[in-house]
Amino acid sequence: DGGITQSPKYLFRKEGQNVTLSCEQNLNHDAMYWYRQDPGQGLRLIYYSQIVNDFQKGDIAEGYSVSREKKESFPLTVTSAQKNPTAFYLCASSIKMGQYEQYFGPGTRLTVT
Amino acid sequence: RKEVEQDPGPFNVPEGATVAFNCTYSNSASQSFFWYRQDCRKEPKLLMSVYSSGNEDGRFTAQLNRASQYISLLIRDSKLSDSATYLCVVNPYSGGGADGLTFGKGTHLIIQP
């Protein structure tokens, strides 16, 4: 079955530690995205990638980093510089950038204490 | 700047009833529109794309009103399983661009037995 996987589902970290969230897709989609969702809030775009070896900052990129070395993979690192990292992180992909539907992975719920 | 507005609800509706809610968008150049469904603590799932001519899928009908800049979602014969948060999503750019997808904060629907 084609789809997007994210791991782990729940992640707990101490403040000051960097943490990397995994996102893999086997849909052969060019574009991938990372969002964060806070309670009662809409999704906010962190980073996106149109194609392998290319990525751009979204609306709230500070304190995050990404890489796109393979088409299938778009990991997100939450660094210690992110002031409020506890959130629900969602990875998505679409066939290409533009007017296309985005499909989401199951998400990673990160708690930093 | 870009904005997508939804009534957060909750809308409490008896099972079997018809329910409709709207979403307004501020950018008149918006080109593509979607409704996503999000269950509690889960990822958003694409419910339907909204075409200029409207779109119907079983009990669900989506309509676009460009003149008044809103899209609507109608659910007929509502089921208990329709209880969820419905996200309105708008892409204002015809030429693509990742921050093109703007998510509303969602409308919370509760179907009561």
Side-chain angles (χ1 to χ4, degrees):
Chain A
D1 274 310
I4 304 175
T5 57
Q6 289 185 245
S7 61
K9 190 168 184 176
Y10 299 95
L11 188 54
F12 298 88
R13 278 294 181 271
K14 291 290 188 187
E15 198 173 308
Q17 294 178 336
N18 290 358
V19 61
T20 297
L21 311 184
S22 163
C23 177
E24 305 276 333
Q25 54 99 359
N26 61 2
L27 300 168
N28 200 31
H29 286 175
D30 282 337
M32 297 186 75
Y33 315 81
W34 274 105
Y35 295 89
R36 105 174 238 165
Q37 188 176 35
D38 295 282
Q41 300 297 313
L43 276 69
R44 291 185 290 166
L45 182 65
I46 304 172
Y47 266 98
Y48 63 95
S49 168
Q50 296 191 56
I51 201 163
V52 175
N53 293 322
D54 176 77
F55 50 83
Q56 304 294 331
K57 293 181 180 180
D59 297 323
I60 55 164
E62 186 176 347
Y64 299 98
S65 65
V66 293
S67 63
R68 186 89 186 274
E69 296 175 4
K70 297 188 299 181
K71 186 175 186 177
E72 302 79 20
S73 179
F74 191 40
L76 172 76
T77 297
V78 184
T79 75
S80 56
Q82 167 50 232
K83 290 182 172 45
N84 189 15
T86 294
F88 186 37
Y89 289 88
L90 289 156
C91 178
S93 71
S94 61
I95 294 172
K96 291 191 180 304
M97 291 285 298
Q99 304 179 52
Y100 302 96
E101 299 90 344
Q102 292 184 9
Y103 296 91
F104 287 84
T108 292
R109 202 164 291 277
L110 173 65
T111 302
V112 176
T113 57
Chain B
R1 195 168 158 241
K2 53 189 177 181
E3 204 170 277
V4 175
E5 299 282 347
Q6 293 184 256
D7 185 334
F11 290 3
N12 290 282
V13 175
E15 190 177 7
T18 295
V19 58
F21 30 85
N22 289 348
C23 158
T24 60
Y25 60 95
S26 59
N27 189 331
S28 60
S30 297
Q31 293 295 320
S32 53
F33 309 87
F34 310 96
W35 282 104
Y36 281 76
R37 171 201 168 118
Q38 186 173 27
D39 292 293
C40 188
R41 301 177 72 83
K42 300 282 190 181
E43 75 274 24
K45 293 189 175 173
L46 180 68
L47 182 63
M48 54 199 316
S49 303
V50 187
Y51 306 123
S52 295
S53 56
N55 191 18
E56 186 171 321
D57 183 4
R59 298 183 293 109
F60 297 83
T61 300
Q63 299 245 305
L64 168 63
N65 185 316
R66 284 194 185 274
S68 301
Q69 293 182 211
Y70 73 84
I71 63 173
S72 62
L73 180 67
L74 178 83
I75 306 174
R76 287 180 296 278
D77 187 25
S78 53
K79 312 287 185 195
L80 296 176
S81 57
D82 294 334
S83 297
T85 297
Y86 291 85
L87 306 178
C88 171
V89 183
V90 175
N91 184 341
Y93 302 117
S94 58
D99 58 355
L101 277 195
T102 302
F103 289 77
K105 293 182 181 179
T107 295
H108 188 197
L109 176 65
I110 300 170
I111 307 299
Q112 296 177 324

